[in-house]
Amino acid sequence: MDDYKMKSTAAIAAILSAYTDESEPGAWVAAYSGGKDSTVAFDLLVKAMLMLKRNNPALLTRTVYLTTANTGLDFVTDPLKQSELAKIKTLVEREGLPIEIVEVQSTNENSFMFLTIGKGYPLPKSRMSRWCTGRLKIEPSQKAHKDIAPVLTLTGVRLSESAERRRNIEARQESEYRSNTELMPIVNFTLDDVWSYLVREGMAWGDAEELGQLYKDATGECGLRQRKAGADEKTDDPCGARTGCIICPVVKIDKSSQEFAKSHPWLQPYVDLRNLMIEMYKDPRNKAGRMRSGKVLEYGQGTFTIKARMALYEAVRQAEFDNEELAIRYGAKPQKLIYSNELDELIQQQWQTDLDEYPWLEDADEIGLFYETKIKGLANGYQLVWNIYHDMTT
């Protein structure tokens, strides 16, 4: 028997044992992103529930809430995810399974566009400072989970994803598939196991052809490898594409989105916009030199100026216009970053509020040919620096 089949059988057994455990009554949550791992994990749960329906339907009483977050920025995965959710809903209704789909989204005040273009927040720069993940995914999901109060959350985490992920999982594992609050059915799957399962078994609600095509489009290639994946497998795997927010600034070079845009040309304006946003935030002339509180910082630091935000807003609107024109040409659905009139109004209202209450945020303070900057190690802490942008600002 293939490794993935043995692991799948063991995973379904673990799911059935936990699902029918009367000592832990209550609902479950299944976290679903639409990617390969969460798809396999949820499919194993669905197949376990279908087994119960056939063999012991009296035990099919626990409700499972399939929760998924809509960031408003995921133009790569989201269209497929919506299609898969529709298929899952059809299956659930046909089979009478106690599964409910819950889609969550952040408020306009916590949206990426409002916080960056409206309020001038800095762009997320690294995995350690991804404030966007908390605002767009974690907080709305936690709110939904608090309302549901699940006894267990089913996730698609795997030990072999990376050394860091392995440490995090092992730190909370109470048994092979369990932590105190989490059920991890594919924890022992390698990347090869995931793709073998998807390609050869498919999902209870349909095949994995479109999902495989998504990863292929995002990498230029995708196929089962001849060797087994191990620690940090995602760094060198052709099927390990990054799928997520189309304008994500955290990755230095977003090869996945660039590759995906080759087969989906209507997304190229957003790939270009991402690069423009990063360059604009690097430019010290676009920083107010102060915090919102008014605290004076160094030149090139502080909140993104209102003037720069307005310029970025125009760039976003242009990218949306170009996306719409190309989408219509290719028979695709246009996708907007500023997705509602309410969000648009909120952004512009914030500019006016800042102009009225925080006038120091309007534009960077004018500086001359030289300016002082703080330098570590100097006795007085400061050094006079030549302003290379002087000729550009006068």
Side-chain angles (χ1 to χ4, degrees):
M1 182 182 293
D2 291 335
D3 280 356
Y4 86 89
K5 286 192 174 183
M6 294 176 62
K7 292 174 184 176
S8 300
T9 300
I12 288 176
I15 292 170
L16 288 171
S17 175
Y19 186 90
T20 57
D21 185 354
E22 295 181 354
S23 69
E24 285 190 306
W28 281 8
V29 157
Y32 180 70
S33 68
K36 60 188 187 305
D37 293 332
S38 65
T39 295
V40 173
F42 180 66
D43 184 62
L44 288 168
L45 171 61
V46 171
K47 287 174 179 172
M49 295 175 76
L50 288 172
M51 286 182 185
L52 279 180
K53 181 189 174 186
R54 288 193 300 269
N55 302 310
N56 201 341
L59 295 178
L60 196 64
T61 58
R62 193 190 301 270
T63 301
V64 174
Y65 293 89
L66 179 65
T67 63
T68 186
N70 180 7
T71 65
L73 302 170
D74 189 356
F75 296 164
V76 175
T77 308
D78 195 61
L80 175 60
K81 182 175 73 171
Q82 293 302 320
S83 173
E84 295 299 294
L85 288 174
K87 295 175 185 177
I88 292 170
K89 183 178 180 181
T90 298
L91 172 70
V92 166
E93 292 175 349
R94 184 178 70 242
E95 299 292 342
L97 299 178
I99 295 174
E100 295 187 25
I101 298 173
V102 179
E103 293 188 72
V104 300
Q105 186 169 9
S106 64
T107 61
N108 283 336
E109 288 78 6
N110 272 336
S111 69
F112 187 84
M113 286 289 103
F114 174 70
L115 292 175
T116 52
I117 299 180
K119 299 195 77 171
Y121 272 37
L123 290 181
K125 292 182 179 179
S126 68
R127 296 182 185 277
M128 300 301 294
S129 63
R130 287 188 300 185
W131 56 260
C132 49
T133 301
R135 298 293 185 99
L136 303 181
K137 289 186 177 181
I138 296 175
E139 289 180 16
S141 295
Q142 285 179 338
K143 184 178 183 301
H145 293 182
K146 183 178 180 180
D147 294 337
I148 296 168
V151 292
L152 274 182
T153 297
L154 182 137
T155 66
V157 297
R158 296 185 292 111
L159 286 167
S160 65
E161 285 185 82
S162 68
E164 181 182 0
R165 179 59 60 88
R166 175 179 288 275
R167 286 192 296 270
N168 289 338
I169 293 172
E170 290 177 342
R172 62 181 188 271
Q173 269 181 316
E174 294 185 348
S175 63
E176 186 174 9
Y177 297 101
R178 286 282 305 269
S179 73
N180 183 42
T181 59
E182 188 178 5
L183 183 63
M184 304 170 280
I186 66 169
V187 67
N188 296 320
F189 278 47
T190 64
L191 200 59
D192 293 302
D193 294 328
V194 169
W195 282 110
S196 293
Y197 182 96
L198 288 170
V199 171
R200 299 175 189 175
E201 305 296 325
M203 294 88 72
W205 57 89
D207 61 49
E209 183 177 347
E210 289 182 273
L211 182 61
Q213 186 64 44
L214 181 147
Y215 280 87
K216 181 179 180 180
D217 288 344
T219 58
E221 59 174 319
C222 186
L224 297 176
R225 301 184 307 177
Q226 297 302 310
R227 60 182 178 80
K228 296 297 179 185
D232 292 314
E233 61 187 20
K234 64 182 180 180
T235 61
D236 63 354
D237 191 270
C239 296
R242 183 196 76 83
T243 55
C245 301
I246 190 70
I247 57 170
C248 178
V250 174
V251 287
K252 292 182 179 180
I253 301 176
D254 191 354
K255 294 180 180 178
S256 291
S257 292
Q258 290 173 355
E259 196 67 38
F260 196 80
K262 292 179 182 178
S263 55
H264 299 69
W266 55 94
L267 294 182
Q268 186 61 49
Y270 292 133
V271 174
D272 296 338
L273 175 67
R274 169 193 177 272
N275 297 332
L276 174 64
M277 289 180 70
I278 292 173
E279 290 305 312
M280 287 186 69
Y281 271 81
K282 285 180 179 178
D283 191 335
R285 293 171 295 177
N286 291 329
K287 305 291 180 61
R290 298 193 189 194
M291 298 175 63
R292 296 182 66 83
S293 64
K295 179 181 178 181
V296 178
L297 302 173
E298 292 184 57
Y299 174 67
Q301 295 182 347
T303 304
F304 211 51
T305 67
I306 299 169
K307 180 179 178 182
R309 289 179 240 167
M310 290 178 172
L312 184 53
Y313 173 89
E314 293 301 324
V316 169
R317 284 308 198 191
Q318 183 61 52
E320 289 179 333
F321 177 81
D322 294 340
N323 165 261
E324 183 173 11
E325 282 205 328
L326 288 167
I328 292 172
R329 185 185 308 173
Y330 285 92
K333 184 179 179 181
Q335 295 160 290
K336 286 186 176 294
L337 290 169
I338 302 175
Y339 46 76
S340 69
N341 291 333
E342 292 76 15
L343 176 56
D344 191 9
E345 291 172 2
L346 192 66
I347 289 171
Q348 299 194 50
Q349 286 171 2
Q350 185 62 48
W351 296 341
Q352 190 58 53
T353 297
D354 283 0
L355 286 170
D356 294 340
E357 300 181 12
Y358 314 106
W360 53 84
L361 297 180
E362 181 176 4
D363 202 359
D365 290 336
E366 183 179 350
I367 61 172
L369 186 58
F370 297 93
Y371 64 95
E372 283 189 336
T373 187
K374 197 168 186 179
I375 303 293
K376 289 183 179 180
L378 289 184
N380 62 3
Y382 287 87
Q383 177 175 303
L384 205 59
V385 176
W386 174 43
N387 175 20
I388 62 171
Y389 295 100
H390 181 264
D391 292 337
M392 304 180 192
T393 58
T394 57

